[in-house]
Amino acid sequence: DAGVTQSPTHLIKTRGQHVTLRCSPISGHKSVSWYQQVLGQGPQFIFQYYEKEERGRGNFPDRFSARQFPNYSSELNVNALLLGDSALYLCASSLVALAGASYNEQFFGPGTRLTVL
Amino acid sequence: GNSVTQMEGPVTLSEEAFLTINCTYTATGYPSLFWYVQYPGEGLQLLLKATKADDKGSNKGFEATYRKETTSFHLEKGSVQVSDSAVYFCALSDKTSYDKVIFGPGTSLSVIP
């Protein structure tokens, strides 16, 4: 089975522009999460979606938004890009997103490398 | 809030040396604990996990034991190889927040022949 896929692989934008990143979860997975990994740091949680509803949001400005589609794929949108948005954006999928569940392993995609000039 | 602290790198070892990367966490409740590995130019791979106290996760010669009393999850390997060169992230899964994963800052490991 295919793993989590993300597109595009690499992207170069200029300050002030808008960007859309895409993620397809593993077949059967209903939860998608987004993470930002700045060079030299650990990934930081941005959003989690489950069954097309936002279930969690990290400490990111409103310029960041996301949505999940009926087929469980997801888009991450970033408006008014800043130089500091340059990072590897990781998408992860899991079967469910139920609070208190014993364990829901997240499977990560290869990421989209965004460079803002 | 929940957080993960791990030893700073970079760490440089000779092949066949013993590896320890320290990790401690702060969390309410009983999180699941993980070690992820990121090879150069690649995404994150789950290396091992432990879901409750005293569990030992193991994979590819790496081991880590969930120690609730010391809130630690140290990564160990008895004999490292050049192919183990990568960045290692300790992480926890917050069950109270729909399993979002909180990562440590990462420890870069270089193994030289």
Side-chain angles (χ1 to χ4, degrees):
Chain A
D1 285 339
V4 177
T5 59
Q6 294 186 241
S7 63
T9 305
H10 295 88
L11 203 53
I12 299 175
K13 293 285 188 178
T14 57
R15 283 176 295 176
Q17 285 189 311
H18 163 271
V19 68
T20 297
L21 310 180
R22 295 177 175 82
C23 171
S24 291
I26 292 172
S27 177
H29 284 194
K30 298 182 177 181
S31 176
V32 169
S33 297
W34 288 95
Y35 294 80
Q36 180 196 64
Q37 186 180 14
V38 173
L39 193 63
Q41 298 181 18
Q44 298 292 316
F45 172 76
I46 309 175
F47 285 111
Q48 183 179 46
Y49 276 78
Y50 176 60
E51 291 281 15
K52 294 167 283 181
E53 291 188 4
E54 183 182 304
R55 287 299 182 90
R57 184 185 183 107
N59 188 24
F60 281 80
D62 291 344
R63 298 186 295 108
F64 289 77
S65 63
R67 55 179 176 169
Q68 187 177 31
F69 298 100
N71 66 353
Y72 302 110
S73 67
S74 178
E75 284 182 353
L76 175 69
N77 295 284
V78 187
N79 293 324
L81 285 167
L82 303 174
L83 296 178
D85 295 331
S86 295
L88 179 67
Y89 287 86
L90 296 165
C91 173
S93 76
S94 59
L95 276 171
V96 294
L98 300 176
S102 60
Y103 173 56
N104 290 316
E105 180 177 348
Q106 296 202 8
F107 294 82
F108 284 84
T112 294
R113 174 74 61 187
L114 171 66
T115 301
V116 182
L117 302 176
Chain B
N2 296 341
S3 64
V4 176
T5 302
Q6 62 184 104
M7 65 184 286
E8 296 185 13
V11 174
T12 302
L13 294 174
S14 297
E15 207 165 20
E16 299 183 2
F18 184 85
L19 169 70
T20 299
I21 301 179
N22 290 335
C23 170
T24 57
Y25 68 90
T26 301
T28 54
Y30 303 95
S32 296
L33 301 176
F34 312 92
W35 278 99
Y36 283 87
V37 60
Q38 190 171 38
Y39 297 102
E42 298 186 13
L44 285 170
Q45 298 179 28
L46 179 64
L47 181 60
L48 53 84
K49 65 182 185 284
T51 58
K52 62 182 185 297
D54 300 325
D55 268 3
K56 177 185 284 188
S58 60
N59 185 27
K60 300 180 181 179
F62 291 90
E63 293 184 340
T65 301
Y66 190 143
R67 300 288 189 198
K68 187 173 184 295
E69 63 277 12
T70 56
T71 62
S72 65
F73 193 55
H74 305 320
L75 181 69
E76 296 181 337
K77 187 175 184 181
S79 176
V80 293
Q81 305 299 312
V82 171
S83 58
D84 293 327
S85 299
V87 180
Y88 293 81
F89 295 94
C90 185
L92 66 83
S93 176
D94 181 0
K95 295 189 186 68
T96 64
S97 184
Y98 299 100
D99 288 308
K100 79 176 184 184
V101 182
I102 298 170
F103 290 87
T107 301
S108 175
L109 171 66
S110 294
V111 180
I112 56 177

